Amino acid sequence: MKQHSRYQQATKEARWAFGLTLLYVVGWCLCAYLPKDSQGPLGFPLWFELACIYLPVLFIVVAYWVIKIVYQEIDLENIKLENKDVE
């Protein structure tokens, strides 16, 4: 993988990480503040179950699939250093 394409891949992965972070924060705020005072299926307040149990589990699954689909293994060796050794 060329250095330019490595930077493009790193930028793409950083954007996905930033987007997922923003999505998680928005999701957490919606889950924590929108439900009325009611009890969830586990016996805790609904807002707590949504924001602190269900949303993190959902995002673990989402992060797993994003890592499988978007992220790639990149060789981190510096190409310029390899060329100096040859000279």
Side-chain angles (χ1 to χ4, degrees):
M1 184 179 272
K2 293 181 179 179
Q3 191 165 4
H4 179 68
S5 63
R6 289 192 306 178
Y7 287 135
Q8 284 182 334
Q9 179 63 28
T11 302
K12 179 181 169 184
E13 292 174 3
R15 286 185 179 149
W16 270 95
F18 184 70
L20 284 176
T21 302
L22 288 179
L23 188 63
Y24 184 80
V25 170
V26 169
W28 191 91
C29 289
L30 291 175
C31 289
Y33 294 109
L34 286 184
K36 302 288 182 188
D37 292 334
S38 60
Q39 193 171 13
L42 299 177
F44 296 109
L46 183 59
W47 69 266
F48 178 80
E49 288 186 13
L50 289 173
C52 298
I53 297 174
Y54 303 132
L55 186 67
V57 170
L58 174 69
F59 261 78
I60 288 171
V61 173
V62 169
Y64 174 80
W65 283 110
V66 167
I67 289 171
K68 285 287 188 186
I69 294 170
V70 174
Y71 285 63
Q72 295 179 357
E73 190 168 330
I74 298 174
D75 185 20
L76 297 177
E77 291 184 28
N78 194 351
I79 296 172
K80 291 180 182 178
L81 289 177
E82 291 176 0
N83 291 337
K84 287 183 179 179
D85 291 340
V86 174
E87 293 176 358

